Amino acid sequence: MTNAASASSTGSAPTWPVNAWYVACTPDEIEGKPLGRQICGEHMVFFRNGEGNVAALEDFCPHRGAPLSLGFIQDGALVCGYHGLAMGCNGRTVGMPGQRVKGFPPIRTYPVVERYGFIWVWPGDAEAADPAKLRHLPWAQNDEWAFGGGLYHVACDYRLMIDNLMDLTHENYVHASSIGQKEIDEAPVKTRIEGDEIVTSRFMDGIMAPPFWQMALRGAGLPDQQLVDRWQICRFSLPSSVLIEVGVALAGHGGHEADNAHKASAMVVDFMTPETTTSHWYFWGLARRFAVQDAALTNTIREGQTKIFAEDLEMLERQQRNLELHPERRLLLLNIDAGGVRSRMLIDQAIAAGQAGQAPADQRSVAAV
Amino acid sequence: MTNAASASSTGSAPTWPVNAWYVACTPDEIEGKPLGRQICGEHMVFFRNGEGNVAALEDFCPHRGAPLSLGFIQDGALVCGYHGLAMGCNGRTVGMPGQRVKGFPPIRTYPVVERYGFIWVWPGDAEAADPAKLRHLPWAQNDEWAFGGGLYHVACDYRLMIDNLMDLTHENYVHASSIGQKEIDEAPVKTRIEGDEIVTSRFMDGIMAPPFWQMALRGAGLPDQQLVDRWQICRFSLPSSVLIEVGVALAGHGGHEADNAHKASAMVVDFMTPETTTSHWYFWGLARRFAVQDAALTNTIREGQTKIFAEDLEMLERQQRNLELHPERRLLLLNIDAGGVRSRMLIDQAIAAGQAGQAPADQRSVAAV
Amino acid sequence: MTNAASASSTGSAPTWPVNAWYVACTPDEIEGKPLGRQICGEHMVFFRNGEGNVAALEDFCPHRGAPLSLGFIQDGALVCGYHGLAMGCNGRTVGMPGQRVKGFPPIRTYPVVERYGFIWVWPGDAEAADPAKLRHLPWAQNDEWAFGGGLYHVACDYRLMIDNLMDLTHENYVHASSIGQKEIDEAPVKTRIEGDEIVTSRFMDGIMAPPFWQMALRGAGLPDQQLVDRWQICRFSLPSSVLIEVGVALAGHGGHEADNAHKASAMVVDFMTPETTTSHWYFWGLARRFAVQDAALTNTIREGQTKIFAEDLEMLERQQRNLELHPERRLLLLNIDAGGVRSRMLIDQAIAAGQAGQAPADQRSVAAV
């Protein structure tokens, strides 16, 4: 256990792969108006053009430097709210009252894809942007699943959130009153590589469900006071998502492998999009396989997650500041930290390789912690 | 149009002429108490002495460094609110309980003039301060005019506000619901030098008055639903004022030259006083030549201007931050920008010459844009 | 009077002796939960263990760097709120679910003493920490006295507060409406060394008591409209406390030496604990020798002090910023400043000697101002 890693990972050098797809926003955020958002250090503006396609541009009007995100959409162009320059999706000015705009310098564009209910942006080399590199989200286009989610701005390095999600022992302390239970500490955790993913799993058999899962069992039409088998399977993949298979099955039906009729299962969805080296956008949600028609349940769960994930924010933001205060301190790397440690190794390799979205060739050489 | 100027004008080096008169405050701000205000990077305190004259001093008590502006006026001296040192208008201590103050070191004084309803300060070389260099304000001491105004603190380089005021095409976008109208974009703009001033003018003939001017027409006892000729003549002069002749005349009476009986005319008053390189004090107002006895109208107009000028603030402050983020970007210089560009040339010449308030000898050599 | 001292005492180098006892907090602040507080630049966490003893540790969990102060107390250990590491009073991990903690690196501990109603901490060399060096507080363990106090966070160098308290002429200006009176300016002030203390005293005989002392006289069962003798004896001692003997006696009974039956006397209690070089924790209070059983009076006085000391805060914080703006300015050293000047000399000597709590051998060589 006494290996150690430097706490100084919170410096100001870019700490993310740029050649990768990141969640930029959700469709409702660009409904009828542009959205300005800093992503991977870049100030971007997102908007939907006349054909309904999403574009991402530098948030900088070439006329006088006003933020284009303060403007409005007209005839499919993004019109600057200061003097009326109309900017097209391709970063070229399409018009301006009383001006010939042909010679106006273009502004930078960023590749964008809309899929799975999110707008994705590629902040790096546009040539390398391939929608096929987007991670497949099995639950997003499937009627057997229902999804609800939200967005938090978090003032910490996005990798601290990855650490958080790849080590769910924190549930017992940060979320003691909702999803924590002592069996989490007691169940052994295993970390392994599975294809392009780092996978950390924990199985707790024959336990009582904690409050959140009792609610889920009731939502699924199952008894909430019987013994259950519970599982948590955290899957990190580049550049910065963690999808967590979670659920409980009535004891004796096969646990994670049980038939749908005997379990309440779901996928915790976490996309961390760096804003700066010390802040990120946290897109979170839950995709569930039970009671998928029940919109009221979707809201109830979203409200529950809103509270639970808020409990992490103070801890993470204070951890960030503490690490900044002590850049020389080295942290412990315990078995429970293996998921985060290996995920960071993938990130470092992707930064070094200048690319992400596909696993580096040597990822299987990552030593076991 | 494709000339370009660097956006990096937002650095930390002084960006204003110091040998010039700037509006420091209005008389109501120093009524019965001192006022602390940072002007051109200098922390100053303003107060009125026993004879009613205004003084400007360093805001620093020579005893223990407390801000004198936290003190009070007694017997014509500015008494420090910490231990009672009494400071005179000349920057010399005049008394302190139990102390002989003759040897106390003096603090800096700044030349001050009170005129035209403002207190003016000269932050540079006191020897060069000549009240005769003060720009004459024709409307300020004339019963044919009525004036109302206000003050905003704006977190941007004062020169961005000059750009804003010397290019009124922004009215169509920033002020779409009040004074904007499409004819502004359509009317050609002309920029010229007139004595010590940079003048940008626009004439819109035979149009319907926008809401603000309809109100003014009614205030002047004129019909508000007839065609009018509208004009905007922006006059910049050193160090940083823009006076704008504005008005509408019932169509067919000579426009700007029409008799007072057929027009509602006014002067938009704008004094920008630098605070730091990235912030300024914006003294704004309107001097009008109609219904000058109507105090209620003065209030109505002031409230209208309060709203209109507030619309500029977010745009300007966001533009400032955008330019700071992109110091390497070069901006476009279009015909509509000529007024601002030439005004900045005068400012640069005045900074280089180390003086302002009188036009540099070579100002007429400024090339046409 | 024309000696001068640089205003640049507000730099970023440590400006306090570290080998000294500072007030860290009061017992109510650590009741049932840990307290995080920055003291002398160090981020500390305070908590009470199972035996009721107080411990002070680095506020940094050796596992992942979370602040331990966000955790909770369990079985006498401080449990990290993130992943459950349990930290002992000695800075060594005592347990963590599923982990062998024997090899975990220790964190720093700080010597702590609980005495006189305060928790005291020694931020320097632990070997040198000797509870016997704690200043004796005669009023704190004596039924003849009653005490009430509070805590302010002040954004200024703690030494500006020492200056403030060692020169009470400011009462006439900052506290004009409560404890100020013109006789303070008129009475001569004397500064001397008395053992380990710098003592500044002022006596005002045959005056009317100001509002605060009229209230105290009434509280003591004495007439409040008779002439009194008033005294203020300010005692600074290392590292940063000022205790002020204050009171009024009915005139003709001996003043400061009068019998208790004829006076209302008290001790103003001031402990300044540096947080950073430009901020400190100000523990203030009043210990009185009259009407000691009257709890309502304790509250009344505490409320009065709360208001009076709040009047100092703006002045001190603005003075701090003014000094930062003008690091090159030199301040005046008048006779009224002698108490602060000599106190700072003791501090400087203690910093140079690397120790405090005992008077440097050469303190009596401090030249008279």
Side-chain angles (χ1 to χ4, degrees):
Chain A
M1 123 281 113
T2 50
N3 292 326
S6 169
S8 68
S9 56
T10 53
S12 62
T15 48
W16 48 74
V18 293
N19 287 320
W21 292 110
Y22 289 93
V23 173
C25 59
T26 49
D28 60 296
E29 293 186 282
I30 53 168
E31 197 168 309
K33 58 177 177 25
L35 170 73
R37 179 159 288 164
Q38 187 177 10
I39 291 180
C40 293
E42 306 273 330
H43 292 264
M44 304 180 180
V45 57
F46 296 86
F47 69 104
R48 204 178 280 282
N49 73 2
E51 289 82 48
N53 296 323
V54 183
L57 305 173
E58 273 186 285
D59 195 9
F60 190 96
C61 178
H63 175 217
R64 302 303 295 169
L68 290 167
S69 56
L70 290 182
F72 55 93
I73 316 295
Q74 194 170 60
D75 302 332
L78 175 56
V79 180
C80 180
Y82 200 176
H83 301 98
L85 181 148
M87 176 58 65
C89 289
N90 58 357
R92 301 208 65 97
T93 304
V94 297
M96 186 172 176
Q99 307 293 337
R100 280 173 299 179
V101 301
K102 214 172 159 184
F104 281 26
I107 59 170
R108 184 172 175 187
T109 66
Y110 302 91
V112 172
V113 173
E114 182 171 7
R115 195 178 294 173
Y116 306 133
F118 295 104
I119 317 298
W120 306 75
V121 70
W122 180 279
D125 176 15
E127 298 286 313
D130 180 358
K133 292 178 180 170
L134 208 54
R135 183 181 194 174
H136 179 61
L137 303 183
W139 46 265
Q141 297 169 321
N142 186 326
D143 286 347
E144 292 176 24
W145 295 77
F147 179 78
L151 169 62
Y152 277 123
H153 180 266
V154 192
C156 79
D157 188 325
Y158 75 107
R159 296 173 302 177
L160 294 184
M161 185 63 90
I162 294 174
D163 292 343
N164 173 288
L165 294 162
M166 293 297 283
D167 174 16
L168 299 184
T169 55
H170 80 270
E171 290 186 358
N172 254 8
Y173 301 93
V174 181
H175 312 304
S177 64
S178 55
I179 53 178
Q181 61 180 166
K182 72 177 192 313
E183 289 85 354
I184 292 177
D185 274 341
E186 293 166 357
V189 64
K190 282 187 188 156
T191 298
R192 67 185 188 281
I193 294 166
E194 208 176 285
D196 294 346
E197 298 179 342
I198 304 298
V199 182
T200 293
S201 52
R202 174 182 278 119
F203 298 91
M204 295 151 277
D205 292 344
I207 62 171
M208 287 302 296
F212 185 86
W213 285 111
Q214 289 180 17
M215 183 269 287
L217 286 164
R218 290 191 299 272
L222 293 171
D224 63 358
Q225 295 297 326
Q226 294 186 17
L227 291 184
V228 295
D229 299 335
R230 182 179 174 189
W231 61 90
Q232 299 173 322
I233 307 170
C234 311
R235 299 176 177 277
F236 169 83
S237 71
L238 287 171
S240 62
S241 66
V242 177
L243 300 184
I244 310 180
E245 292 182 57
V246 288
V248 291
L250 297 181
H253 288 84
H256 177 249
E257 310 302 327
D259 188 89
N260 269 351
H262 301 109
K263 73 184 177 189
S265 76
M267 180 92 82
V268 181
V269 173
D270 307 289
F271 293 107
M272 280 65 70
T273 299
E275 180 189 49
T276 68
T277 53
T278 57
S279 61
H280 71 278
W281 304 101
Y282 176 31
F283 295 89
W284 53 264
L286 191 86
R288 71 179 191 277
R289 299 194 80 165
F290 54 86
V292 297
Q293 308 295 348
D294 187 346
L297 182 61
T298 302
N299 283 333
T300 303
I301 291 174
R302 184 193 282 111
E303 283 165 24
Q305 264 189 314
T306 299
K307 280 184 204 164
I308 288 172
F309 290 175
E311 291 171 338
D312 290 296
L313 298 195
E314 185 188 7
M315 181 61 77
L316 286 166
E317 298 187 345
R318 294 287 307 277
Q319 182 191 19
Q320 171 73 36
R321 277 184 281 160
N322 236 16
L323 294 177
E324 290 174 16
L325 286 168
H326 299 282
E328 80 297 346
R329 292 292 298 257
R330 298 182 72 77
L331 304 179
L332 289 175
L333 301 183
L334 309 178
N335 57 335
I336 57 173
D337 302 312
V341 170
R342 290 196 182 185
S343 299
R344 284 169 177 251
M345 284 179 179
L346 281 196
I347 290 170
D348 289 343
Q349 288 169 3
I351 293 171
Q355 63 178 29
Q358 60 181 60
D362 60 345
Q363 83 163 18
R364 280 174 187 76
S365 69
V366 174
V369 173
Chain B
M1 120 284 113
T2 50
N3 291 326
S6 169
S8 68
S9 55
T10 52
S12 62
T15 49
W16 48 75
V18 294
N19 287 320
W21 292 110
Y22 290 92
V23 173
C25 59
T26 49
D28 60 295
E29 294 185 282
I30 53 169
E31 198 169 309
K33 57 176 176 28
L35 170 74
R37 179 158 287 164
Q38 187 177 11
I39 291 180
C40 293
E42 306 273 330
H43 293 264
M44 303 180 181
V45 57
F46 297 86
F47 70 104
R48 204 179 282 281
N49 72 3
E51 290 81 47
N53 295 322
V54 183
L57 305 173
E58 274 185 286
D59 195 9
F60 191 97
C61 178
H63 174 217
R64 302 303 297 167
L68 289 167
S69 56
L70 291 182
F72 55 94
I73 316 295
Q74 196 170 61
D75 301 332
L78 175 55
V79 180
C80 180
Y82 201 175
H83 301 98
L85 181 147
M87 176 59 65
C89 289
N90 59 356
R92 301 208 64 99
T93 303
V94 295
M96 186 171 176
Q99 307 294 335
R100 279 172 298 179
V101 302
K102 213 171 161 187
F104 282 26
I107 58 171
R108 185 171 172 187
T109 66
Y110 301 91
V112 173
V113 173
E114 180 169 9
R115 196 179 294 173
Y116 307 134
F118 295 104
I119 316 300
W120 307 77
V121 70
W122 180 279
D125 176 15
E127 298 285 315
D130 180 359
K133 292 179 181 171
L134 209 54
R135 185 181 193 174
H136 179 62
L137 303 183
W139 46 265
Q141 297 170 322
N142 187 327
D143 286 347
E144 293 176 27
W145 296 77
F147 179 78
L151 169 62
Y152 277 124
H153 180 265
V154 191
C156 79
D157 188 325
Y158 76 106
R159 296 172 302 177
L160 294 183
M161 185 64 90
I162 294 174
D163 293 343
N164 173 288
L165 294 162
M166 292 298 284
D167 174 14
L168 299 184
T169 57
H170 81 269
E171 290 187 357
N172 254 8
Y173 302 93
V174 180
H175 312 303
S177 65
S178 55
I179 53 177
Q181 61 180 164
K182 72 178 192 313
E183 289 85 355
I184 292 177
D185 274 342
E186 293 167 357
V189 66
K190 282 185 186 156
T191 298
R192 66 185 189 282
I193 293 166
E194 211 177 283
D196 293 347
E197 298 180 341
I198 304 297
V199 183
T200 292
S201 54
R202 175 181 277 122
F203 298 91
M204 296 152 275
D205 291 344
I207 63 172
M208 288 301 296
F212 185 85
W213 284 111
Q214 289 180 17
M215 183 270 286
L217 285 165
R218 290 191 299 272
L222 293 170
D224 62 357
Q225 294 297 325
Q226 292 186 18
L227 290 184
V228 295
D229 299 335
R230 181 179 174 188
W231 60 90
Q232 298 173 323
I233 306 170
C234 310
R235 300 176 178 278
F236 169 83
S237 71
L238 286 171
S240 62
S241 67
V242 177
L243 301 183
I244 311 179
E245 292 182 55
V246 290
V248 293
L250 298 180
H253 287 85
H256 177 249
E257 310 302 327
D259 188 89
N260 269 350
H262 302 109
K263 70 182 179 191
S265 76
M267 180 92 83
V268 181
V269 173
D270 307 289
F271 294 107
M272 280 65 70
T273 300
E275 180 190 49
T276 69
T277 54
T278 56
S279 61
H280 71 277
W281 304 100
Y282 177 30
F283 295 88
W284 52 264
L286 191 85
R288 70 180 191 277
R289 298 193 80 165
F290 55 85
V292 298
Q293 309 294 347
D294 187 346
L297 182 62
T298 301
N299 283 333
T300 303
I301 291 175
R302 184 194 283 112
E303 283 165 22
Q305 265 189 313
T306 299
K307 281 184 203 163
I308 289 171
F309 290 174
E311 293 171 339
D312 289 296
L313 298 194
E314 185 188 6
M315 181 61 77
L316 286 166
E317 298 187 344
R318 294 287 307 275
Q319 182 191 18
Q320 171 73 34
R321 276 184 280 162
N322 237 15
L323 295 177
E324 289 175 15
L325 286 169
H326 299 281
E328 80 297 347
R329 293 290 300 256
R330 297 182 73 75
L331 305 179
L332 289 174
L333 301 183
L334 309 178
N335 57 336
I336 57 174
D337 303 312
V341 169
R342 290 196 182 185
S343 299
R344 284 170 178 252
M345 284 178 180
L346 280 197
I347 291 170
D348 289 345
Q349 288 170 3
I351 293 172
Q355 61 176 31
Q358 60 182 62
D362 59 347
Q363 83 164 16
R364 281 175 185 73
S365 69
V366 174
V369 175
Chain C
M1 122 281 116
T2 51
N3 292 325
S6 170
S8 68
S9 55
T10 54
S12 61
T15 48
W16 48 74
V18 294
N19 287 320
W21 292 110
Y22 290 93
V23 173
C25 58
T26 49
D28 60 296
E29 294 185 282
I30 53 168
E31 196 168 310
K33 58 178 177 22
L35 170 74
R37 179 158 289 164
Q38 187 177 11
I39 291 180
C40 292
E42 306 273 329
H43 292 265
M44 303 181 182
V45 55
F46 297 86
F47 69 105
R48 203 179 281 282
N49 72 2
E51 289 81 47
N53 296 323
V54 183
L57 305 173
E58 272 186 287
D59 195 9
F60 190 96
C61 178
H63 175 217
R64 304 301 297 168
L68 290 167
S69 56
L70 291 182
F72 55 93
I73 316 295
Q74 196 171 59
D75 300 333
L78 176 55
V79 180
C80 180
Y82 202 175
H83 301 97
L85 182 147
M87 176 60 65
C89 290
N90 59 354
R92 302 208 65 98
T93 304
V94 295
M96 187 173 177
Q99 308 293 337
R100 279 174 299 179
V101 301
K102 213 170 161 187
F104 281 27
I107 60 171
R108 184 172 174 188
T109 65
Y110 301 91
V112 172
V113 173
E114 181 170 7
R115 195 178 294 173
Y116 307 133
F118 295 105
I119 316 298
W120 307 75
V121 69
W122 180 280
D125 176 17
E127 298 286 314
D130 179 359
K133 292 179 180 171
L134 208 54
R135 184 180 192 174
H136 179 61
L137 302 183
W139 45 266
Q141 298 170 320
N142 187 327
D143 286 347
E144 292 175 26
W145 296 77
F147 180 78
L151 169 62
Y152 276 125
H153 179 265
V154 191
C156 80
D157 188 325
Y158 75 106
R159 296 173 301 178
L160 295 183
M161 184 65 89
I162 293 174
D163 292 343
N164 173 287
L165 294 162
M166 292 297 284
D167 174 14
L168 298 184
T169 56
H170 80 269
E171 291 187 358
N172 254 7
Y173 302 93
V174 180
H175 313 303
S177 64
S178 54
I179 52 178
Q181 62 181 162
K182 72 177 192 316
E183 289 86 354
I184 292 176
D185 273 342
E186 293 167 356
V189 65
K190 283 188 187 154
T191 299
R192 68 184 187 282
I193 294 165
E194 209 177 287
D196 294 346
E197 297 180 342
I198 304 299
V199 182
T200 292
S201 53
R202 175 181 276 120
F203 298 91
M204 295 152 276
D205 292 344
I207 62 172
M208 286 302 296
F212 185 86
W213 284 112
Q214 289 180 15
M215 183 269 286
L217 286 165
R218 290 192 299 273
L222 294 170
D224 62 357
Q225 294 297 325
Q226 293 186 19
L227 291 184
V228 296
D229 299 335
R230 181 180 176 189
W231 62 91
Q232 299 172 322
I233 306 170
C234 311
R235 302 178 176 275
F236 168 84
S237 70
L238 286 172
S240 62
S241 66
V242 177
L243 301 183
I244 311 179
E245 291 182 56
V246 289
V248 292
L250 297 180
H253 288 85
H256 176 250
E257 310 303 327
D259 188 89
N260 269 351
H262 301 110
K263 71 184 177 188
S265 76
M267 178 93 82
V268 180
V269 173
D270 307 288
F271 294 107
M272 282 63 73
T273 300
E275 179 189 49
T276 68
T277 54
T278 57
S279 61
H280 71 278
W281 304 100
Y282 176 30
F283 295 88
W284 53 263
L286 190 84
R288 71 181 191 278
R289 298 192 82 165
F290 55 86
V292 297
Q293 309 294 348
D294 187 346
L297 182 63
T298 301
N299 283 333
T300 302
I301 291 175
R302 183 193 283 112
E303 283 164 24
Q305 264 189 315
T306 298
K307 280 184 205 163
I308 289 172
F309 290 174
E311 292 172 339
D312 290 295
L313 298 194
E314 185 187 7
M315 181 61 78
L316 286 167
E317 297 187 345
R318 294 287 307 278
Q319 182 191 18
Q320 171 72 34
R321 278 185 279 161
N322 236 15
L323 295 177
E324 289 174 18
L325 285 168
H326 299 282
E328 81 296 347
R329 294 290 299 257
R330 297 182 74 76
L331 304 179
L332 290 174
L333 302 184
L334 308 178
N335 57 336
I336 57 173
D337 303 311
V341 169
R342 290 197 181 184
S343 299
R344 285 169 178 252
M345 284 178 180
L346 280 197
I347 291 171
D348 289 345
Q349 288 170 1
I351 294 171
Q355 63 178 29
Q358 59 182 63
D362 59 347
Q363 83 165 15
R364 280 174 187 75
S365 70
V366 174
V369 174

